[in-house]
């Protein structure tokens, strides 16, 4: 192993930095193509991107013909005149727009102003109100009403009458209306950033009623953050506190559901026990919704251990409640195969039919019940699973849903859109391409009338393509394809997919391997695993969007081979696959599976050096990275663990008890990384932000305490004034420049055996 300075290491750092998301996003065009349907379903528009700029294109749903959605040149000329600066037609200063005045004009936002003009740019004028469709959930569907909170009490604003009135007057500290729990993982961040958290409310379709909750957190225990370097320059450290219930706590945040009538202000409290809301409320989670006719409220109630769940119907006038469906299980119940997905539950317009999701067969499927919850028929079945119920067409009696694992010889994690009749019959595949379809959410974009849908599909080795199809699956037109030629011109190479066996020798596992841009199969490479072992999520990307700017590519171009794999104990497969690690000590997606996969990779790829294996992860991935080093110290020689929840007894109740416990007494100690801390032998860098209100820094510091007690060497990096979001986990692409460089340095020095370039600063290319 080389110990001297690699002659081109600084250049490798420059290349790795160039591969960060903020630098490569401009090298791919049509990477994302969100669409906006016209209300009459005759057409939709999207942004078409190229090296010369972008255009808003209108696509006719019937024949697929595309044309500009408006005259870009004339709109640019009109904006140039009023803004006092040159506006280019291919670089208009807005990301979205709405057709108004029966489609004869467009409305859009530039900066803090809202504007409107003709399709030819004529009669441009500033609007007094924001463009339609650009509003938050506290505004009613028509825009007439708005719910606000004043000192915890709910205020109803009528924009038509120009009035406002208090709906409540009895709010108390930590017991107000429409609030979000302080255990939502961002309470301190929101407070320090002066973020306005809008009231959590749900409007009935006709705006007659407003559903909200009164959230009682008065007896919930308190967590604290210690800010040692206040950003205003103060010398005295500050304490920031927030309420968060921990596993085993007796006092939880409780949401009391309430309906208000907008016209009279009349209040109806639902006659049901308050709902546990330790992380988010039922309204935020999509666990409460209005009937399509506005004549009932539906909500879901889980017991604390999540072994039973009920679908409840409530009368908005009287508040009377009735149980429609109830299910129990020996292991926790979810109503979606994906932890963050909305429940796959539907109630017909006349309340006489219910679609219910259940994994009772060992696979997640849809069942049709009558209005009293009695079984009518199983709609889907087999050794594959439904992930999301997307749409139900009552006229054609058809349910549209996303499913995974049904198509033979395909990656079982790829999602496809299907249709199935409510009266029986086989599921029909509507998206035939062998790829990951759609983005979650939404998976696909249906037209308002349901006759068409736009589908976007890709793989990690295939850039996105967007097509328009009829609801029967018939292709109408290929709308757009991503142009990745500028990215490929940099030497960027596609990741590779692989399949390997789990440690049981039977279960197929799927992963991704990323090679350096200048890969030479005759050389030996140090190996790095990027891990997030759930158990509520998977790590391996399936679509192309998720690998552009991925941290694995940056590390690979430094000279490592990087891989990911999803072991047993993670979602997206069978119930047995998910439950494999439930309630076991040290839940980290069955690390024995990861070890088995690495051995198979090395056998087939002799360029992998198993004497130099490292691992890194963030949040639950950091927990898994440390657990791997403690459980398999002869394999994992070094690691970087950022913001790790190293003791799941320090997480919120919903997460900790759902995936680990509930344990009694010392059971929680077995899963904490501090318990086997004495096993550490490799080089470990622990990282935390001091303002992390998602995973409290105490989780890292208690592990530090155990490592000190065990007389083990390690490194610790505390990032002042950072919360949880500095490591570019999927879904957020921000990666702190200093942390990025320190992580690279650690792998280069302690795994590659090279000297990192001195005084390198990430950010110059941004």
């Amino acid at each position: 192993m080389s110990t001297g300075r690699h002659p081109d290491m600084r250049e490798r750092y420059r290349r790795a930095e160039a591969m960060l998301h903020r630098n490569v996003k401009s090298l791919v065009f049509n990477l994302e193509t969100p669409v906006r349907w016209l209300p009459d379903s005759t057409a939709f528009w999207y942004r078409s991107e190229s090296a010369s700029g972008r255009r808003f294109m209108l696509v006719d749903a019937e024949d697929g013909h595309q044309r500009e959605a408006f005259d870009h040149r004339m709109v640019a000329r009109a904006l140039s005149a009023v803004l006092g600066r040159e506006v280019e037609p291919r670089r208009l200063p807005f990301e979205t727009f709405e057709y108004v005045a029966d489609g004869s004009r467009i409305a859009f936002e530039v900066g803090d102003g809202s504007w409107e003009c003709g399709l030819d740019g004529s009669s441009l004028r500033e609007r007094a109100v924001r463009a339609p469709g650009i509003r938050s959930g506290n505004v009613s569907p028509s825009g007439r009403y708005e719910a606000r909170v004043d000192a915890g009490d709910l205020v109803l604003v009528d924009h038509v009458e120009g009035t406002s009135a208090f709906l409540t007057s009895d709010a108390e500290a930590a017991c107000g209306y429409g609030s979000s729990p302080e255990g939502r993982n961002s309470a301190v961040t929101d407070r320090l950033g002066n973020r306005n958290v809008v009231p959590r409310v749900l409007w009935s379709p006709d705006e007659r009623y407003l559903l909200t909750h009164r959230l009682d957190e008065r007896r919930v225990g308190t967590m604290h953050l210690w800010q040692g370097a206040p950003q205003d320059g103060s010398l005295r450290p500050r304490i920031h506190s927030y309420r968060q219930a921990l596993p085993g706590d007796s006092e939880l945040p409780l949401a009391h559901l309430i309906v208000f009538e907008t016209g009279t202000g009349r209040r109806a409290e639902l006659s049901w026990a308050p709902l546990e809301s330790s992380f988010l409320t039922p309204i935020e989670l999509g666990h409460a919704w209005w009937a399509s006719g506005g004549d009932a409220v539906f909500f879901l109630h889980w017991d604390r251990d999540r072994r039973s769940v009920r679908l409840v119907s409530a009368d908005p006038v009287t508040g009377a409640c009735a149980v429609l469906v109830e299910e129990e299980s020996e292991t926790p119940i979810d109503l979606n195969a994906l932890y963050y997905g909305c429940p796959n539950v539907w109630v017909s317009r006349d309340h006489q039919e219910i679609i219910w999701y259940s994994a009772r067969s060992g696979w997640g499927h849809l069942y049709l019940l009558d209005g009293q919850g009695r079984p009518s028929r199983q709609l889907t079945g087999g050794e594959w699973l439904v992930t999301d119920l997307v749409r139900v067409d009552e006229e054609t009696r058809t349910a549209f849903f996303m499913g995974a694992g049904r198509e033979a010889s395909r990656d079982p994690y790829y999602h496809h859109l299907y249709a199935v009749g409510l009266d029986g019959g086989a599921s029909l595949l509507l998206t035939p391409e062998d790829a990951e379809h759609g983005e979650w959410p939404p998976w696909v974009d249906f037209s308002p009338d349901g006759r068409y849908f736009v589908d976007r599909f890709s793989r990690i080795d295939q850039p996105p393509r967007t097509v328009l199809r009829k609801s029967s699956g018939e292709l109408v037109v290929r709308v757009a394809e991503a142009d990745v030629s500028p990215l490929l011109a940099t030497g960027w190479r596609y990741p590779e997919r692989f399949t390997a066996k789990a440690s049981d020798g039977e279960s197929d596992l799927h992963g991704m391997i990323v090679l350096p841009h200048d890969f030479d199969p005759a050389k030996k490479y140090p190996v790095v695993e990027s891990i997030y072992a759930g158990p509520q999520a998977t790590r391996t990307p399936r679509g192309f969007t998720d690998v552009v700017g991925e941290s694995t590519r940056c590390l690979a171009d430094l000279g490592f081979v990087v891989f990911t794999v999803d072991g047993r104990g993670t979602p997206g497969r069978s119930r047995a696959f998910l439950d494999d690690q439930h309630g076991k000590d040290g839940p980290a997606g069955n690390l024995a599976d990861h070890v088995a996969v690495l051995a198979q990779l090395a056998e087939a790829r002799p360029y992998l050096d198993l004497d130099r294996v490292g691992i890194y992860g963030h949040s639950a991935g950091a927990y898994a990275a440390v657990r791997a080093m403690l459980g398999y110290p002869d394999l994992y020689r070094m690691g970087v663990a950022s913001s790790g929840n190293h003791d799941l007894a320090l997480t919120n109740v919903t997460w900790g008890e759902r995936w680990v416990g509930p344990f009694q007494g010392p059971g929680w100690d077995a899963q904490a990384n501090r318990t086997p801390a004495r096993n550490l032998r490799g080089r470990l860098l622990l990282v935390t932000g001091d303002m992390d209100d998602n995973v409290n820094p105490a989780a890292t510091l208690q592990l530090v305490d155990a490592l000190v007690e065990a007389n083990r060497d390690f490194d610790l990096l505390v990032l002042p004034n950072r919360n949880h979001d500095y490591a570019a986990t999927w879904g957020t692409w921000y990666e702190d420049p200093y942390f990025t460089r320190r992580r690279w340095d650690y792998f280069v020095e302690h795994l590659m055996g090279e000297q990192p370039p001195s005084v390198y600063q990430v950010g110059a290319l941004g």
Side-chain angles (χ1 to χ4, degrees):
M1 183 187 302
S2 172
T3 57
R5 182 187 297 271
H6 201 288
D8 66 345
M9 189 56 71
R10 182 171 292 273
E11 182 56 38
R12 286 184 175 275
Y13 268 60
R14 291 194 183 101
R15 178 174 181 83
E17 183 178 357
M19 293 297 103
L20 290 171
H21 184 263
R22 62 175 177 266
N23 296 320
V24 300
K25 63 182 180 181
S26 62
L27 302 179
V28 181
F29 304 109
N30 291 327
L31 181 63
E32 299 177 355
T33 50
V35 307
R36 183 74 59 83
W37 280 94
L38 273 58
D40 63 4
S41 299
T42 59
F44 65 88
W45 65 258
Y46 75 100
R47 290 195 311 269
S48 177
E49 300 173 338
S50 67
S52 61
R54 66 188 185 198
R55 294 187 299 164
F56 293 91
M57 302 299 295
L58 189 69
V59 181
D60 186 285
E62 184 64 31
D63 59 17
H65 176 71
Q66 298 193 37
R67 67 180 189 276
E68 283 195 341
F70 51 84
D71 191 324
H72 289 57
R73 184 176 63 86
M74 297 304 293
V75 170
R77 178 181 295 181
L79 279 173
S80 297
V82 299
L83 297 178
R85 57 182 172 85
E86 185 67 23
V87 175
E88 299 180 36
R90 291 294 186 96
R91 289 177 171 81
L92 293 171
F94 51 88
E95 301 290 326
T96 186
F97 74 93
E98 291 285 335
Y99 285 109
V100 295
D102 296 326
S104 63
R105 299 174 65 79
I106 59 172
F108 50 87
E109 310 225 345
V110 178
D112 295 330
S114 185
W115 299 85
E116 177 186 318
C117 68
L119 301 184
D120 58 358
S122 60
S123 61
L124 175 68
R125 62 173 181 264
E126 197 162 7
R127 295 167 58 92
V129 297
R130 294 175 68 86
I134 310 174
R135 57 172 65 97
S136 55
N138 62 318
V139 178
S140 67
S142 73
R144 173 175 178 173
Y145 297 108
E146 181 180 355
R148 297 177 182 172
V149 169
D150 185 343
D153 280 307
L154 200 64
V155 178
L156 181 67
V157 178
D158 187 331
H159 290 294
V160 173
E161 297 294 334
T163 61
S164 64
F166 277 88
L167 294 176
T168 68
S169 59
D170 57 345
E172 300 178 27
C175 189
Y177 293 86
S179 59
S180 183
E182 291 192 358
R184 64 183 178 272
N185 296 348
S186 64
V188 174
T189 297
D190 294 338
R191 195 183 308 155
L192 294 177
N194 294 315
R195 296 179 183 173
N196 180 31
V197 181
V198 299
R200 274 40 179 174
V201 300
L202 282 177
W203 299 89
S204 63
D206 59 5
E207 302 183 346
R208 181 181 175 185
Y209 298 109
L210 173 68
L211 173 71
T212 188
H213 54 254
R214 187 178 189 184
L215 185 66
D216 189 350
E217 300 183 273
R218 289 173 292 184
R219 290 170 291 278
V220 176
T222 305
M223 300 284 283
H224 307 281
L225 296 173
W226 186 85
Q227 187 178 27
Q231 291 180 295
D232 62 0
S234 301
L235 294 179
R236 296 180 184 274
R238 293 179 179 170
I239 299 294
H240 301 274
S241 302
Y242 57 101
R243 294 176 173 85
Q244 183 181 61
L246 301 181
D249 284 358
S250 59
E251 298 291 348
L252 307 180
L254 298 174
H256 303 248
L257 295 179
I258 305 168
V259 173
F260 292 94
E261 189 172 40
T262 54
T264 65
R266 186 182 58 81
R267 168 179 182 151
E269 299 199 21
L270 302 195
S271 59
W272 194 262
L275 304 179
E276 182 265 312
S277 302
S278 298
F279 174 45
L280 295 172
T281 67
I283 291 176
E284 295 172 283
L285 290 168
H287 294 178
W289 65 96
W290 281 96
S292 58
D295 56 339
V297 168
F298 301 110
F299 63 90
L300 296 164
H301 180 208
W302 273 272
D303 285 347
R304 178 168 174 170
D305 64 4
R306 297 186 71 89
R307 267 69 170 182
S308 63
V309 63
R310 302 161 194 84
L311 171 63
V312 183
S313 173
D315 186 319
V317 177
T318 66
C321 295
V323 175
L324 303 181
V325 184
E326 184 169 8
E327 182 165 347
E328 296 182 353
S329 174
E330 293 183 0
T331 55
I333 297 172
D334 288 302
L335 294 176
N336 191 302
L338 305 174
Y339 180 62
Y340 299 108
C342 286
N344 291 323
V345 180
W346 170 85
V347 183
S348 64
R349 191 179 298 113
D350 61 7
H351 306 183
Q352 296 305 303
E353 288 184 309
I354 299 168
I355 293 179
W356 184 257
Y357 176 92
S358 175
R360 66 188 67 164
S361 69
W363 298 85
H365 283 295
L366 301 177
Y367 297 80
L368 185 67
L369 317 176
D370 67 16
Q372 285 71 49
R374 295 177 297 232
S376 294
R377 64 183 56 86
Q378 185 170 345
L379 297 178
T380 65
E383 293 187 354
W384 56 280
L385 73 159
V386 172
T387 57
D388 273 84
L389 181 61
V390 176
R391 184 176 183 276
V392 179
D393 188 324
E394 293 198 57
E395 279 64 44
T396 63
R397 296 189 57 73
T398 306
F400 298 87
F401 62 91
M402 302 303 296
R406 182 175 181 266
E407 308 309 313
S409 303
R410 296 187 181 181
D411 188 317
Y413 292 92
Y414 284 166
H415 295 88
H416 294 78
L417 180 68
Y418 299 88
V420 67
L422 300 189
D423 298 317
S427 298
L428 174 66
L429 175 66
L430 302 178
T431 52
E433 298 87 357
D434 181 8
E436 170 75 342
H437 288 264
E439 293 180 278
W440 178 78
W443 294 107
V444 294
D445 290 285
F446 271 95
S447 60
D449 64 7
R451 292 189 299 134
Y452 304 94
F453 66 89
V454 176
D455 173 36
R456 177 178 173 274
F457 58 92
S458 70
R459 299 193 307 242
I460 64 173
D461 54 0
Q462 175 188 297
R465 301 172 186 173
T466 303
V467 299
L468 171 66
R469 293 183 181 275
K470 294 182 179 180
S471 61
S472 62
E474 178 185 345
L475 179 68
V476 177
V477 67
R478 293 176 175 84
V479 177
E481 291 190 17
D483 178 7
V484 299
S485 54
L487 178 63
L488 296 178
T490 69
W492 188 92
R493 61 188 298 159
Y494 291 102
E496 299 176 9
R497 296 177 292 148
F498 70 81
T499 301
K501 291 296 182 182
S503 58
D504 64 2
E506 298 179 359
S507 304
D508 283 334
L509 304 180
H510 297 261
M512 172 184 79
I513 191 165
V514 186
L515 303 178
H517 70 283
D518 56 354
F519 172 70
D520 181 352
K523 293 183 177 180
K524 279 278 192 178
Y525 289 89
V527 185
V528 176
E529 178 175 3
S530 176
I531 192 168
Y532 190 96
Q536 88 291 6
T538 55
R539 171 63 183 94
T540 302
R542 310 299 170 191
F544 187 82
T545 303
D546 290 332
V547 299
V548 175
E550 241 261 356
S551 62
T552 53
R553 166 52 54 200
C554 301
L555 275 171
D557 282 354
L558 287 176
F560 301 95
V561 172
V562 189
F563 79 98
T564 70
V565 69
D566 296 304
R568 290 171 294 163
T570 55
R573 305 281 289 277
S574 69
R575 179 66 177 266
F577 194 95
L578 173 63
D579 287 343
D580 178 78
Q581 292 294 291
H582 180 76
K584 297 181 181 178
D585 297 347
N590 200 327
L591 287 170
D593 285 352
H594 296 246
V595 173
V597 166
L598 187 50
Q600 294 168 67
L601 290 177
E603 184 177 355
R605 296 167 170 83
Y607 53 80
L608 299 181
D609 186 352
L610 292 194
D611 289 329
R612 293 185 291 168
V613 177
I615 190 169
Y616 75 96
H618 185 72
S619 195
Y623 173 94
V626 171
R627 201 74 180 188
M629 292 187 67
L630 300 178
Y632 300 92
D634 293 329
L635 178 62
Y636 294 101
R637 304 296 179 89
M638 61 82 58
V640 178
S642 50
S643 289
N645 51 348
H646 299 291
D647 183 352
L648 301 184
L650 274 171
T651 61
N652 67 60
V653 169
T654 304
W655 206 92
E657 291 188 358
R658 161 63 180 86
W659 299 109
V660 186
F663 292 127
Q664 298 296 324
W668 284 100
D669 294 336
Q671 56 75 39
N673 278 341
R674 66 175 181 272
T675 301
R678 66 179 66 86
N679 294 347
L680 181 66
R681 296 211 298 270
R683 294 299 300 256
L684 172 63
L685 173 62
L686 296 172
V687 187
T688 185
D690 65 348
M691 290 289 101
D692 192 336
D693 46 4
N694 182 328
V695 174
N696 194 285
T700 295
L701 292 177
Q702 290 182 20
L703 174 58
V704 165
D705 183 57
L707 290 169
V708 170
E709 181 68 23
N711 196 33
R712 294 297 184 264
D713 292 336
F714 63 95
D715 295 294
L716 174 66
L717 172 62
V718 178
L719 297 170
N721 299 307
R722 269 76 156 188
N723 63 6
H724 198 64
D725 302 325
Y726 60 83
T729 51
W730 52 100
T732 174
W733 286 110
Y734 173 73
E735 188 164 279
D736 184 88
Y738 183 77
F739 167 73
T740 299
R741 195 263 297 173
R742 289 293 304 274
R743 183 164 66 183
W744 292 351
D745 286 353
Y746 212 76
F747 280 106
V748 166
E749 181 176 0
H750 299 298
L751 192 64
M752 185 180 289
E754 300 282 355
Q755 185 67 29
S758 61
V759 201
Y760 190 89
Q761 184 171 0
V762 172
L765 299 182

